[in-house]
Amino acid sequence: MDFSFSEQHEAVRETVRRLCETEHRKLVAAAEETETLPREVFARWGELGLLGVRYPEEDGGSGLDKVSDCIVREELSYMSQGFASSWSAHSHLGIWPIWKAGTPAQRERFFRPAVAGRKIAGFALSEPDGGSNIRGLKTRAERVGGGWKLNGSKLYITNAPIADFLLVAARTAPELRGDAISLFIVELPAKGMEISKLRKEGIRASETGLIHIEDVFVPDDCVLGERLGTYPVILDSLSENRVGVAANALGMARAAFDAATAYARERLVADKRIGDYQAIAHKLAEMSAAIEAARWLVYYGAWRVDQGTLDSATAARVKLVASETAVSVSEQAIRIHGGAGIMREYPVGRIHRDALVYVIGEGTSEVQKNIIARDLGFKS
């Protein structure tokens, strides 16, 4: 067994770290305050090959692997989850289904410019009344001349306010079965589609929208793969992305831990570093161990993706452990900071708010436990 990263992996990590330190970090404070992501970062990511890091070169990608994808996510998240979340919604959820199941014309028209950073993508799945029940989504697609007409609503859609196109999941038949759900590529702006930007407590720099869909026309050539019943593509995309967002959580946990460790070295109480008090030292030791466990579970999951052996239960375990680790580590980081932990000049409060999103988004922790329980042979 080989637990080391390759030279190529380390080169990817160094590229992202340098980008964050020299270009992106100075943008974070303003992006958080205004809740507006600078659109130009997509072009920069495309220029560096970071949007297509895990896609084949012949398709316009960088020809690397899922491990590399997770490295990009981890390092972006270490700096800012707002930037990382927007990257993730674009580079995986927004375009992976097109790469996986789209026609050659759809890949050329949507995937390639998105990988290059010339178009911004999003994935419109969750709904106001849907919760985690994907099969129960209510957005409808009705056959009309030359295409389809969509009606419904979508909620908490990352990148929606700034997207050039969205993948929209809609029901083509009333039955609660997988083959009644398909994906439609909607170019923006679109007549009948109203997008309202939402204000958030967590991941503020990433723009999120509520979408009202009324008689939005989608031509036949914008039905993903020009076929109906692409529900399995949605499930595959979500499973792989759970490994991806686990890497996001890992980056946040590392950032919170490093901030807490630095503070424990600098803060003096009774002429003694607080890190030298056993209560604080034990917290840091537990945080360090939890992060190390999450790190190797994340990259095991990425390795499983690259081997083509990832299953939904493994993805659920990876996401559950990493997201809960990010929440617990960032909370402990606030406690170690004491009163300073809730001051905006320190990053740990922001990290904790951001981490809380991932025990809800991409499938709640409870949903992950249900998936794992079913894998163990129990009904949940």
Side-chain angles (χ1 to χ4, degrees):
M1 299 177 71
D2 185 358
F3 289 94
S4 63
F5 292 104
S6 69
E7 290 185 8
Q8 191 174 58
H9 291 144
E10 295 297 351
V12 170
R13 190 181 298 278
E14 179 56 31
T15 296
V16 182
R17 283 181 175 174
R18 186 167 57 249
L19 175 69
C20 289
E21 289 304 316
T22 61
E23 299 182 34
H24 286 356
R25 191 171 293 280
K26 61 188 177 185
L27 305 175
V28 172
E32 286 285 322
E33 286 296 324
T34 63
E35 301 186 28
T36 302
L37 187 78
R39 283 183 63 100
E40 61 266 23
V41 299
F42 286 92
R44 186 67 173 124
W45 292 335
E47 180 185 343
L48 293 173
L50 298 179
L51 295 173
V53 67
R54 53 93 72 238
Y55 297 110
E57 291 183 85
E58 58 267 27
D59 294 330
S62 299
L64 301 180
D65 54 15
K66 187 64 179 180
V67 171
S68 300
D69 174 275
C70 286
I71 288 171
V72 175
R73 292 168 177 270
E74 181 187 349
E75 295 303 328
L76 283 177
S77 298
Y78 185 89
M79 176 196 70
S80 164
Q81 189 51 223
F83 282 61
S85 178
S86 297
W87 181 95
S88 173
H90 172 93
S91 67
H92 181 77
L93 290 176
I95 62 175
W96 186 89
I98 299 175
W99 172 74
K100 187 72 173 179
T103 65
Q106 289 169 348
R107 291 195 196 99
E108 192 67 30
R109 181 177 171 186
F110 298 104
F111 178 82
R112 283 185 176 272
V115 163
R118 297 194 301 272
K119 288 186 177 181
I120 299 174
F123 185 68
L125 176 63
S126 59
E127 298 184 348
D129 299 327
S132 299
N133 180 16
I134 301 172
R135 284 175 179 259
L137 65 82
K138 296 180 179 179
T139 299
R140 306 180 315 280
E142 299 177 48
R143 198 77 172 90
V144 295
W148 297 79
K149 192 168 284 187
L150 306 185
N151 284 278
S153 56
K154 299 291 180 179
L155 183 61
Y156 308 136
I157 307 305
T158 304
N159 289 348
I162 59 173
D164 296 298
F165 67 87
L166 293 171
L167 279 180
V168 178
R171 178 174 301 286
T172 56
E175 294 80 11
L176 295 181
R177 62 176 195 263
D179 60 1
I181 297 173
S182 300
L183 287 169
F184 299 81
I185 307 171
V186 179
E187 293 188 89
L188 299 174
K191 183 180 178 181
M193 181 170 281
E194 179 183 343
I195 300 175
S196 302
K197 182 175 175 178
L198 300 173
R199 301 195 66 187
K200 311 191 299 293
E201 284 302 323
I203 316 187
R204 291 178 180 175
S206 176
E207 300 192 41
T208 303
L210 165 66
I211 306 175
H212 179 67
I213 305 168
E214 184 175 357
D215 291 338
V216 173
F217 177 74
V218 180
D220 283 329
D221 62 0
C222 283
V223 178
L224 184 67
E226 295 188 1
R227 63 185 176 88
L228 300 182
T230 42
Y231 180 71
V233 178
I234 297 175
L235 294 184
D236 288 346
S237 180
L238 292 176
S239 288
E240 182 178 324
N241 202 49
R242 282 170 181 157
V243 173
V245 298
N248 291 45
L250 173 61
M252 287 186 284
R254 280 183 46 226
F257 173 76
D258 285 353
T261 302
Y263 190 80
R265 291 190 178 114
E266 298 166 1
R267 175 78 166 118
L268 300 179
V269 172
D271 296 325
K272 183 178 178 180
R273 299 183 306 174
I274 63 170
D276 292 323
Y277 288 96
Q278 189 179 73
I280 301 298
H282 280 189
K283 285 183 186 293
L284 291 167
E286 290 171 354
M287 292 157 70
S288 175
I291 290 170
E292 193 66 12
R295 183 198 318 277
W296 291 111
L297 188 55
V298 165
Y299 285 104
Y300 168 70
W303 178 81
R304 287 283 297 270
V305 171
D306 289 331
Q307 298 300 309
T309 61
L310 181 72
D311 58 85
S312 60
T314 297
R317 292 182 179 98
V318 173
K319 199 265 184 180
L320 175 66
V321 170
S323 61
E324 293 291 348
T325 296
V327 170
S328 63
V329 166
S330 57
E331 179 184 346
Q332 292 305 315
I334 292 174
R335 291 172 181 262
I336 289 170
H337 278 71
I342 57 172
M343 298 295 114
R344 287 198 175 183
E345 64 184 288
Y346 294 93
V348 289
R350 168 176 60 84
I351 296 169
H352 187 57
R353 290 197 314 270
D354 292 352
L356 284 167
V357 174
Y358 284 115
V359 296
I360 301 170
E362 307 294 335
T364 65
S365 288
E366 289 73 21
V367 165
Q368 309 312 315
K369 292 173 185 178
N370 285 346
I371 294 170
I372 296 166
R374 288 196 293 271
D375 184 60
L376 297 175
F378 300 103
K379 294 181 179 179
S380 55

